[in-house]
Amino acid sequence: MSPTTATEDERLPQPVAGEIDLVTVLHALGDPVRMRLLLSYADGAEHSCDPRSLGLDHLHKSTVSHHMRVLREAGVTTTRVAGRNRFVSLRRADLDTRFPGLLDALLTSAPAPA
Amino acid sequence: MSPTTATEDERLPQPVAGEIDLVTVLHALGDPVRMRLLLSYADGAEHSCDPRSLGLDHLHKSTVSHHMRVLREAGVTTTRVAGRNRFVSLRRADLDTRFPGLLDALLTSAPAPA
C-alpha cells in the first residue's frame, strides 16, 4: 500500500477526547455557519461535505471546508475518509462526557436553521 | 440634571434579554480571558474593573476593558455606572431564561482559574 493512498476508515486529524478544550469549542461554535453545521450534525448521522446537502450552497466550497476544519480541530466533529469521500459526524459521546449538559443546552437554545 | 452627567445606577449599553444571541454569547466566551472573567463573575457579585482584583494584572487595562465590552455587548454581563466607578456582574437570570442549562454546563466544565 502506498503511503499516499488513503486507507478505509482513515480519520482526519482531531484531538483525543480528553484534550478537547472548552474555550476552543466555544470559539468554534461562536460563528453562525458553524452553529448551522452543528444543527445539521445533531442527528448523529454521517454527512457528506457537499455544501448543498448542508443548506450552505450560498457559500464557496472552500469556505465550508474551512468551517468544517475548525469544528474538527476543536473536537466537535470527526471526519471519516473513505476513498475520495469524506463523512463528518458529531462527537456526541466525547462532548457529553467532557462537558456534561453542554450540547443539550446548545441544541435546546439554538435557533432553527432558516 | 445635565444630560452629560452620569446618573446613579446608569447602565452601559447592553442588549435586552430577549435579544441575547446564542452565537454571539459563544463567540464572547470562546476566549480564555473572557472565560476567566466569566468564572470571576459566576459568584453573582458585582466586581470592579480593576484588572488586579480579577487576576488579570498581566494584561493592559485597555485589553481588559475590551474583553469586558465584548461580554457586555453580547449580553453576558451588565455594567452599572456609579459616579466614576463601574461595577460588572453576570446576567445570570437573563441567560438562564434564554438558554436553559447553558451557564450551568459551562461553569461545571470550565477549568478552574490558574
Side-chain angles (χ1 to χ4, degrees), chain A residues 21-24 26-27 29-32 35 98-102 104-106 108-111, chain B residues 21-24 26-27 29-32 35 98-102 104-106 108-111:
Chain A
D21 175 69
L22 179 62
V23 171
T24 305
L26 297 179
H27 175 79
L29 297 176
D31 173 277
M35 177 56 73
R98 189 135 175 82
F99 312 122
L102 179 62
D104 284 337
L106 293 175
T108 298
S109 297
Chain B
D21 174 67
L22 178 62
V23 170
T24 305
L26 298 179
H27 176 79
L29 296 176
D31 174 276
M35 177 57 70
R98 188 135 176 83
F99 312 123
L102 180 61
D104 285 335
L106 292 176
T108 298
S109 297

Side-chain angles (χ1 to χ4, degrees), chain B residues 16-65:
Chain B
V16 298
E19 289 178 2
I20 300 176
D21 174 67
L22 178 62
V23 170
T24 305
V25 167
L26 298 179
H27 176 79
L29 296 176
D31 174 276
V33 172
R34 296 195 291 267
M35 177 57 70
R36 168 105 186 211
L37 286 169
L38 175 71
L39 296 177
S40 293
Y41 301 147
D43 63 6
E46 289 192 314
H47 292 258
S48 83
C49 298
D50 177 9
R52 282 172 301 175
S53 71
L54 294 161
L56 296 173
D57 45 328
H58 58 295
L59 297 178
H60 194 276
K61 193 171 178 178
S62 66
T63 302
V64 177
S65 292

Side-chain angles (χ1 to χ4, degrees), chain A residues 24 27-28 34 65-76:
Chain A
T24 305
H27 175 79
R34 296 194 292 265
S65 291
H66 161 73
H67 287 301
M68 288 179 171
R69 179 179 178 141
V70 172
L71 289 172
R72 174 172 51 79
E73 291 184 343
V76 175

